[in-house]
Amino acid sequence: MKLVLNRSNKNKIIEWQERIQNEDSEEIYETLKELNPFTKDNVKADEDSSDLASFLEAFYNFIVTSSENERNVIKGLCNHVFKFSDLILLAIQGLNSRISKSLSESAKWNLYWFMRFIPLPTKKLYPLYRDDYEVLPIGSNILNEHVQSMWLSFTKLELPSKLCRLMVPFFVEHIIDALPNSELFGDFLFSVFNKGQIYSVLSLAGIFKLIVHRNFEYPEFYSQVYHLTHSSVCYSSYSQKFFELLDLFLSSTHIPSYILAAFVKKLSRILLQAPLSHQFVLLTLIRNLITRHNVLLPLIHRDEPAVYIDPYKTLVTFTSDPYNEEEKNPKNSKALESSLWELTLVRKHWYDRVSKKADFLDRQAQEQENLLIWKSVDELFEEIMARKFGAGTAESTNGNDQEVFYLFYTG
């Protein structure tokens, strides 16, 4: 006799559908754990069937046919039921066979919530049922392959914009590293990148992981990131994520000098147009780049192009800068021929803490990098208002100049 998983029963499927919708997930778990899901006689399986097969069928229908986003119900089931390796494997097998382009938007959301709330592939899991006859071949490798297969099927769907923006960061941060063949998701990440704007930023970390850990070839990676590096990022909702990723991307010691120079120049230009909340971070990022890469030191020590500031007028002039900010290819930007005159200008910033942070130009190069510390507009406002006001508070703290310079750069 061959041991098989019991067949489902139509009446019990209907019963389980109601229980999934209305019953607490802990109570469902208490019922399931008492079942014997296997039978020795496939012919008589309907007669003595456990409820497991019927429950699974009801769950599949619940996920793919529900007209509503069932996030809370799915989260409860994943916390109490689909935390066991055998149940996760059975659920993935059933759901994966039902993924198709005809799925509704609600079904796509529900599939995502299931994949989001089941335990991460890196966790050690145990089965709910004792399977002495190995009806279900379960192991970490087999389970990870099924998880990968489901994510592959899911990422081939046309996803709603909101779902895509939510799913990509989770997938990149928690899932892609644990999959056996993460390079298979390159096409998906590039398709997200090509959507532009926030989608490009969200996919960058995943593409970078494939390049570093899977030897994924993308010769234009840094050129694409350079193109995204623009002052408008400072005013976007994803600015913090972008600059933190940029700090990571530019940490490699194998990056060509012309790329590094182009980035440090572009960041210096952005610094002149950035809001106060970003200027501290940009200065830290620029300083980190100079600390990591000695090839950038000539940009600090080069005298030309230079900025000239009249201490008695709000007049700023500089000689012709060979750097071409509009050039999309970093190699052709001529950044290596330029200087960081922008930092000299920032040293005349109206807020003395910004000007002090730019003083590293005159100090010996630091040996350690600094973390990017973010402050909100409200925090900066409270910081400024908490200071004492009076005679001399508006004076520049880095020289004898009495003029406070407001920075406006138009390119």
Side-chain angles (χ1 to χ4, degrees), residues 225-269:
V225 177
Y226 181 75
H227 181 63
L228 290 173
T229 308
H230 191 270
S231 58
S232 60
V233 174
C234 297
Y235 301 92
S236 67
S237 59
Y238 52 85
S239 61
Q240 181 172 344
K241 180 68 173 178
F242 178 80
F243 287 116
E244 288 174 351
L245 285 173
L246 191 60
D247 193 34
L248 173 64
F249 298 157
L250 298 175
S251 61
S252 172
T253 56
H254 302 291
I255 303 174
S257 57
Y258 67 85
I259 290 180
L260 295 170
F263 271 103
V264 80
K265 276 295 293 184
K266 179 73 80 75
L267 290 171
S268 297
R269 291 288 178 89

Side-chain angles (χ1 to χ4, degrees), residues 350-353 380-395 397:
W350 64 268
Y351 190 36
D352 61 342
R353 292 188 179 176
L380 285 169
F381 179 77
E382 291 179 2
E383 180 181 287
I384 293 171
M385 296 306 294
R387 304 181 70 186
K388 293 182 179 180
F389 289 88
T393 56
E395 295 181 2
T397 58

Side-chain angles (χ1 to χ4, degrees), residues 282-343:
L282 286 166
L283 281 167
T284 300
L285 181 52
I286 292 169
R287 187 175 182 180
N288 284 348
L289 288 174
I290 296 171
T291 300
R292 293 174 193 148
H293 309 288
N294 291 333
V295 294
L296 297 176
L297 291 176
L299 274 71
I300 292 180
H301 301 304
R302 187 174 290 134
D303 294 331
E304 297 291 339
V307 62
Y308 302 98
I309 303 175
D310 187 332
Y312 302 104
K313 301 178 183 178
T314 55
L315 174 67
V316 175
T317 61
F318 57 91
T319 57
S320 178
D321 192 341
Y323 171 66
N324 182 2
E325 187 177 359
E326 302 302 322
E327 172 60 50
K328 294 182 179 180
N329 188 341
K331 190 173 185 178
N332 300 328
S333 68
K334 297 185 178 180
L336 278 172
E337 302 172 24
S338 183
S339 70
L340 297 184
W341 60 262
E342 297 89 349
L343 300 186

Side-chain angles (χ1 to χ4, degrees), residues 10-26:
K10 186 175 181 180
N11 292 331
K12 289 185 177 181
I13 292 174
I14 296 173
E15 178 186 334
W16 270 117
Q17 285 177 333
E18 294 179 356
R19 293 185 66 179
I20 289 173
Q21 285 277 14
N22 304 312
E23 196 169 310
D24 188 84
S25 56
E26 290 187 62

